[in-house]
Amino acid sequence: MPVSQAYRLRPKPASVRIENYRKYAVLHNTALVATVLHAGLIFLFGLIGSTVLALFNVASVAAWLLAWWLNRRGRHGQAIYVMCLETAGHAFLAVSILGADSGFHFYLWPVACLAIMNPRLLPRQAAVIGYTCIALFAYLQLRYGGVPYRYAFADYVPLLYFINVMTAAFPLVLAMVMVRTTKEAQEYQLMEMATRDPLTGLYNRRFANEFLGQTFAGHDRQDRAFCIALGDIDRFRDVNDRHGHEIGDEVLETIAMTLLGTFRRSDCLCRWGGDEFMIAFPETSEDTALAALERFRTALQRQRVRRQEQSVSVTLSFGLVTAAPGESAEECIHRADDMLYHAKRAGGDRTVTPARAAEPSLQDSPG
């Protein structure tokens, strides 16, 4: 899958694989933001008079820069370890000195989430580390919940608590959004793989059968027109034999693109077989479907497949029928196939309906 547009704005280090780039980008941004925040905390803790915390944040800046460097080198698991250790140590020290009212222990929650999401850890190891972080959070809350704040700017402690809670919540929400987005993208990709033909991008026969089954199950109750067309490429075997299968594949792709550009989104466009196509027209009269098929055939006649010095044009024949009341999907497909046979027998490059099949010109065509 292509890399998100947001990540294209920045060049990717050569050490980072494509499949790990999303993880790289998240850790990259997290490390940079944390470096800036901890640099600001050096000034803040110095301002309130906590020299120990100010000096610790000097080491914190170095730790986050180390995590950034490890991530750049493609060592994402080690970068996560450094991030988790720094955050846990910072939370413990800050709360033990400033008290739980400062809210620094809330950063243990995103650390637990980060540890659990680390693919380098076995699930059991990740669960132990994550649960340990939550247990440390509970300990700090119970142990230092009553410790009074003894430094300057005490009136701003509630604001500090609020800022820390909201900042710690952000990576948690972001992680959940990423998990959901990834899950939905994977489900969509699997659905596309199961229902789409990989060469043409049209629906495959499996999806078409399910679509027809559901449609015909409610067709009698709806009492609405429903048409099915079966199409077949004229003399496609000659194209493959004369020009090769690569040209044949390009012909199929060209037909698919023309189909997608001609018909409505509500029409079901399917690659029925090797060189066969099925088009289902929900709530469409036979005359309307016939006009759409003729527009497609006209558009296809203007298309030519070119590869090096070779140039190929193809035509399609169609059999078109309207579903009858009480008729099954299989019976309707069979009738459409009969109409396609008449179109082929008459020389191809045409659409045949039951009314057209009864015309003398088709009845008298040679076999």
Side-chain angles (χ1 to χ4, degrees):
M1 297 179 65
V3 180
S4 172
Q5 181 66 34
Y7 297 154
R8 292 191 189 133
L9 300 178
R10 195 168 47 247
K12 177 181 69 66
S15 59
V16 180
R17 297 180 180 178
I18 292 294
E19 61 269 22
N20 290 329
Y21 191 51
R22 176 171 291 185
K23 183 197 303 180
Y24 159 80
V26 171
L27 296 179
H28 175 89
N29 293 330
T30 301
L32 290 180
V33 171
T35 299
V36 174
L37 289 176
H38 283 80
L41 287 176
I42 296 174
F43 170 78
L44 175 64
F45 289 135
L47 186 64
I48 67 174
S50 178
T51 304
V52 173
L53 286 174
L55 292 175
F56 184 86
N57 274 270
V58 173
S60 295
V61 169
W64 283 103
L65 287 175
L66 174 61
W68 174 84
W69 180 81
L70 290 171
N71 188 53
R72 290 281 296 183
R73 301 283 293 180
R75 296 152 69 175
H76 312 301
Q78 295 180 16
I80 291 176
Y81 288 134
V82 173
M83 292 177 178
C84 292
L85 289 173
E86 191 287 324
T87 306
H90 192 281
F92 184 87
L93 186 62
V95 171
S96 65
I97 294 176
L98 302 179
D101 290 343
S102 62
F104 280 99
H105 55 319
F106 279 96
Y107 290 98
L108 290 167
W109 285 92
V111 167
C113 180
L114 190 63
I116 293 172
M117 294 176 63
N118 186 354
R120 298 300 181 92
L121 292 175
L122 295 175
R124 183 179 299 177
Q125 295 173 326
V128 169
I129 294 176
Y131 198 76
T132 300
C133 290
I134 304 306
L136 180 58
F137 170 88
Y139 168 78
L140 293 175
Q141 180 67 44
L142 293 173
R143 175 65 177 82
Y144 299 102
V147 173
Y149 179 84
R150 297 186 297 270
Y151 296 88
F153 305 103
D155 293 340
Y156 291 96
V157 170
L159 177 60
L160 178 63
Y161 181 89
F162 174 80
I163 292 174
N164 282 330
V165 170
M166 298 305 296
T167 304
F170 179 76
L172 279 176
V173 175
L174 180 62
M176 294 303 102
V177 170
M178 288 183 60
V179 169
R180 174 179 172 178
T181 302
T182 301
K183 180 175 180 294
E184 291 177 350
Q186 291 173 341
E187 289 177 348
Y188 177 79
Q189 186 177 13
L190 289 173
M191 182 187 69
E192 288 290 290
M193 292 173 61
T195 61
R196 294 280 183 178
D197 174 61
L199 177 64
T200 62
L202 303 177
Y203 288 117
N204 58 26
R205 188 163 183 164
R206 174 184 175 182
F207 174 86
N209 283 325
E210 293 179 357
F211 174 83
L212 292 176
Q214 294 175 4
T215 301
F216 275 78
H219 181 61
D220 293 337
R221 295 190 298 272
Q222 295 175 356
D223 193 26
R224 297 171 182 172
F226 185 88
C227 295
I228 289 180
L230 279 182
D232 186 86
I233 304 175
D234 297 323
R235 293 170 289 279
F236 187 58
R237 180 177 296 179
D238 293 341
V239 173
N240 280 327
D241 291 343
R242 183 177 303 174
H243 302 283
H245 289 282
E246 290 186 357
I247 284 288
D249 287 347
E250 293 195 24
V251 166
L252 291 169
E253 292 173 351
T254 299
I255 291 173
M257 291 175 59
T258 309
L259 284 168
L260 293 170
T262 303
F263 293 95
R264 305 168 302 182
R265 297 187 64 179
S266 58
D267 299 329
C268 179
L269 307 176
C270 162
R271 185 181 179 189
W272 192 248
D275 59 342
E276 286 188 310
F277 299 86
M278 191 279 292
I279 307 173
F281 301 89
E283 301 182 24
T284 305
S285 67
E286 189 172 291
D287 289 340
T288 301
L290 178 60
L293 289 171
E294 294 305 293
R295 285 196 303 271
F296 163 76
R297 291 198 312 106
T298 301
L300 185 63
Q301 289 170 357
R302 296 194 295 265
Q303 301 285 342
R304 297 193 67 86
V305 177
R306 292 181 172 83
R307 186 180 180 88
Q308 296 177 354
E309 298 180 357
Q310 303 181 79
S311 179
V312 180
S313 61
V314 294
T315 59
L316 259 75
S317 299
F318 284 100
L320 173 66
V321 297
T322 301
E327 186 177 38
S328 68
E330 291 78 9
E331 292 170 337
C332 192
I333 287 289
H334 181 73
R335 289 198 300 118
D337 194 46
D338 285 342
M339 295 303 103
L340 176 59
Y341 168 77
H342 281 289
K344 289 288 191 178
R345 188 169 180 268
D349 193 19
R350 68 191 66 213
T351 302
V352 173
T353 64
R356 289 186 172 186
E359 296 175 358
S361 60
L362 286 180
Q363 294 292 324
D364 299 336
S365 297

